[in-house]
C-alpha cells in the first residue's frame, strides 16, 4: 500500500467514507485528551469526583435506551422532538429529557431549530455503520455482563470461583456458547466492531505482498478477514474459532472460494501452513500459562517463513486511566486473562518460542506485534 493518503482514498472506496483516522494524529489526539482529562479531574473537589464517577454509569444506561429504542436509525434524517416521540410512541416530556441528556453527552445533537440530528456517535450506532458499535452497547449493558461485575468483590477471594463463574456457574466462553447462545451473538457483534477498526489499521500498515493465506485465530465472526480481503483481494482467508462461533458466523455466506472456516480449540491445535496468523484481542483473554500454550500451538502451526501478528493494547507501567486499564478490569470480571505491559508481552512471546520482529502502533492505540519462530 502507498502513502496514508492513498490508503485513505482506498478506505473511501471500500467503505464509502473514511472509518479510522490516520495513525499518528489519532495517537496524539488520545494523548492530548488524556492530559486534559487529568487536569479536568484534578481540578474537581473529591465529592464532585465521587458523584461524577457514580453518574458515569448513566451514560451507559442512556446509550442502551437509545439503541433499544432504535433512535440512531430514526435519525438518518433530522426530525423534531415531537415527531420522533410520536413515531416511537413515547411520552413527549420523558423523551425530551432523555434527548437533552443525550445531546449534552454528544450522543445525538440538537440544532438551533430544536431538531434532533445524528452526531458522530449516533452514526457509529446506526445499524448500517461500517463497524457495528451498537453490539458493544448491547454487550456492556447486558444483565449477564453486569452480574459478573456485581461479583467482582467476592470473586477476588484467594480461593473460589472467578467473578464470572460466581455469577453464572461457568466460564465466559462456556456461557456464551452453551448456556446463553444469544449472549454469544451479542458478544460476536461487539467484537466485530473492534476487529474491523484493527483490521483497517493492519491493512494499511503491514506489508501484504507475498502473503498468500492468512488465518485469523480466535477470529470470531470473521469481520477482520473480511476487511483484509477488501483491501487485499489476493488473500486467502481462514477463520479459526470454536465450532459454535464459526457455526453462527456468516463469513462463508457469500460462497467465496477464497474463504474457509475451521472450528476447533486453539488449546488443541491451530490449522497449519498459513503465511500469516492473526491473534486480535485473543492473548489478553488468558492467564500466562494458557497464553503460552495457545501461542505455542500457533508456533507449531507456522512454517519457518510464517509470521504471527498479535494485536493487544499494552498496559502502562504506572496507573493510567485508559483503555488498557478498563480492559484489564473486564478481563478480571469476565475472563481469566489480563492486560500486560510491553515487557510482559516480550517475556510471554519468548517463553512460547517466538521472537518479536517488528511492532506497529495502530490508529486505535493498540500495538501489532509481528512475531516469528525463535531460531
Ligand atoms: C475477545 S474475542 C476476539 C475476537 C476477534 N479476534 C476480535 O478481535 O474481535 C476472543 C475470541 O477467541 C475465541 N476463543 C475462545 N476460546 C477459544 C478456543 N479455545 N479456541 C479457539 N478460539 C477461542 C472466542 O470465541 C472469541 O471469538
Amino acid at each position: 500500500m502507498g502513502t496514508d493518503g492513498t490508503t485513505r482514498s482506498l478506505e473511501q472506496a471500500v467503505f464509502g467514507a473514511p472509518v479510522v483516522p490516520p495513525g499518528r494524529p489519532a495517537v496524539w489526539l488520545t494523548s492530548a485528551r488524556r492530559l486534559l482529562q487529568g487536569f479536568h479531574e484534578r481540578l474537581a473537589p473529591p465529592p464532585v469526583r465521587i458523584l461524577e464517577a457514580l453518574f458515569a454509569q448513566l451514560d451507559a444506561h442512556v446509550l442502551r435506551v437509545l439503541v433499544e429504542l432504535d433512535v440512531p436509525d430514526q435519525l438518518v434524517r433530522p426530525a423534531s422532538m415531537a415527531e420522533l416521540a410520536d413515531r416511537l410512541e413515547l411520552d413527549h416530556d420523558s423523551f425530551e429529557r432523555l434527548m437533552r441528556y443525550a445531546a449534552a453527552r454528544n450522543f445525538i445533537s440538537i440544532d438551533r431549530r430544536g431538531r434532533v440530528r445524528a452526531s458522530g456517535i449516533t452514526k457509529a450506532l446506526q445499524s448500517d455503520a461500517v463497524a457495528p458499535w451498537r453490539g458493544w452497547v448491547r454487550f456492556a449493558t447486558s444483565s449477564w455482563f453486569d452480574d459478573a461485575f456485581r461479583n467482582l468483590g467476592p470473586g477476588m477471594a484467594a480461593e473460589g470461583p472467578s467473578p464470572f463463574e460466581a455469577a453464572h456457574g461457568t466460564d465466559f466462553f462456556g456461557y456464551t456458547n452453551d448456556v446463553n447462545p444469544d449472549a454469544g451473538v451479542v458478544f460476536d457483534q461487539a467484537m466485530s466492531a473492534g476487529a474491523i477498526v484493527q483490521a483497517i489499521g493492519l491493512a494499511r500498515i503491514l506489508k501484504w505482498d507475498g502473503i498468500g493465506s492468512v488465518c485469523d485465530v480466535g477470529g470470531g465472526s470473521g469481520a477482520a478477514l473480511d476487511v483484509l480481503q477488501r483491501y487485499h483481494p489476493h488473500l486467502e482467508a481462514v477463520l479459526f474459532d470454536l465450532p459454535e462461533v464459526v457455526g453462527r458466523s456468516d463469513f462463508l455466506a457469500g460462497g467465496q472460494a477464497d474463504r474457509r472456516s475451521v472450528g476447533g480449540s486453539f488449546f488443541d491445535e491451530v490449522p497449519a501452513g498459513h503465511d500469516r496468523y492473526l491473534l486480535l484481542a485473543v492473548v489478553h483473554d488468558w492467564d500466562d500459562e494458557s497464553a503460552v500454550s495457545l501461542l505455542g500451538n500457533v508456533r507449531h502451526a507456522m512454517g519457518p517463513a510464517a509470521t504471527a501478528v498479535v494485536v493487544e493494547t499494552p498496559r502502562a507501567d504506572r496507573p493510567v486511566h485508559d483503555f488498557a486499564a478498563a480492559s484489564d478490569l473486564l478481563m478480571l470480571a469476565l475472563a481469566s486473562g489480563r492486560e500486560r505491559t510491553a515487557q510482559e508481552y516480550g517475556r510471554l512471546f519468548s517463553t512460547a518460542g517466538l521472537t518479536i520482529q517488528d511492532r506497529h502502533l495502530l490508529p486505535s492505540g493498540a500495538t501489532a506485534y509481528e512475531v516469528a519462530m525463535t531460531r
Side-chain angles (χ1 to χ4, degrees):
M1 253 328 111
T3 62
D4 211 35
T6 326
T7 52
R8 299 281 290 160
S9 37
L10 181 61
E11 201 166 308
Q12 182 86 37
V14 171
F15 297 112
V19 180
V20 174
R24 286 280 153 198
V27 173
W28 294 331
L29 189 65
T30 305
S31 308
R33 285 188 59 222
R34 197 166 302 139
L35 196 71
L36 293 172
Q37 188 188 358
F39 285 134
H40 172 78
E41 287 176 359
R42 275 192 295 275
L43 285 175
V48 173
R49 284 290 301 122
I50 292 170
L51 288 177
E52 282 177 354
L54 293 170
F55 289 167
Q57 63 180 315
L58 299 183
D59 285 4
H61 284 297
V62 170
L63 285 174
R64 175 177 54 77
V65 175
L66 291 179
V67 167
E68 275 174 10
L69 293 175
D70 213 19
V71 170
D73 281 0
Q74 299 291 330
L75 290 179
V76 173
R77 268 175 301 283
S80 75
M81 210 62 97
E83 196 183 326
L84 272 177
D86 283 342
R87 222 188 285 162
L88 297 166
E89 296 179 15
L90 297 171
D91 173 68
H92 281 214
D93 179 59
S94 308
F95 183 66
E96 271 194 50
R97 289 159 70 183
L98 177 83
M99 295 311 264
R100 261 203 312 268
Y101 184 94
R105 303 298 292 131
N106 265 329
F107 300 159
I108 53 135
S109 65
I110 298 178
D111 65 22
R112 284 207 206 113
R113 291 167 55 205
R115 289 169 73 79
V116 187
R117 294 176 173 271
S119 68
I121 294 175
T122 323
K123 287 182 186 156
L125 294 173
Q126 285 172 343
S127 50
D128 63 351
V130 170
W133 288 104
R134 55 169 53 201
W136 252 103
V137 173
R138 290 195 175 117
F139 167 48
T141 61
S142 66
S143 57
W144 53 275
F145 179 102
D146 199 45
D147 289 343
F149 269 92
R150 288 195 185 283
N151 279 279
L152 189 57
M156 289 194 306
E159 300 288 327
S162 68
F164 196 90
E165 284 169 348
H168 299 292
T170 180
D171 68 3
F172 185 87
F173 295 112
Y175 181 80
T176 51
N177 292 317
D178 304 330
V179 178
N180 183 359
D182 288 346
V185 172
V186 169
F187 177 66
D188 295 346
Q189 278 174 0
M191 293 304 100
S192 313
I196 288 168
V197 170
Q198 306 295 26
I200 292 172
L202 295 177
R204 286 189 201 162
I205 288 168
L206 297 182
K207 290 196 175 65
W208 292 93
D209 307 339
I211 302 288
S213 64
V214 55
C215 174
D216 194 357
V217 178
S221 64
L225 290 172
D226 181 64
V227 169
L228 290 171
Q229 283 188 313
R230 288 183 194 219
Y231 275 80
H232 304 285
H234 71 278
L235 289 174
E236 284 190 18
V238 176
L239 172 66
F240 178 59
D241 206 299
L242 292 166
E244 298 84 350
V245 180
V246 295
R248 63 181 176 241
S249 150
D250 60 4
F251 183 62
L252 301 182
Q256 293 97 321
D258 54 0
R259 292 186 174 189
R260 206 156 60 80
S261 71
V262 180
S265 170
F266 45 48
F267 294 119
D268 297 333
E269 64 178 343
V270 168
H274 299 289
D275 299 323
R276 181 169 275 165
Y277 290 84
L278 302 180
L279 292 102
L280 311 185
V282 165
V283 175
H284 76 166
D285 287 342
W286 303 99
D287 61 23
D288 285 0
E289 196 188 341
S290 305
V292 167
S293 156
L294 83 88
L295 285 169
N297 284 343
V298 171
R299 182 179 52 91
H300 196 70
M302 286 162 69
T307 53
V309 178
V310 176
V311 174
E312 296 290 353
T313 306
R315 184 173 63 76
D317 296 324
R318 62 198 170 80
V320 177
H321 185 205
D322 64 359
F323 176 77
S327 180
D328 192 45
L329 269 196
L330 289 189
M331 295 305 127
L332 183 63
L334 304 180
S336 60
R338 59 194 307 113
E339 295 304 339
R340 298 174 170 87
T341 63
Q343 272 186 337
E344 287 170 339
Y345 275 112
R347 279 201 294 274
L348 201 67
F349 295 142
S350 98
T351 311
L354 296 165
T355 301
I356 299 177
Q357 289 194 321
D358 211 343
R359 70 189 86 200
H360 312 269
L361 193 54
L362 299 179
S364 61
T367 299
Y369 294 98
E370 274 192 89
V371 299
M373 264 186 214
T374 307
R375 293 179 203 283

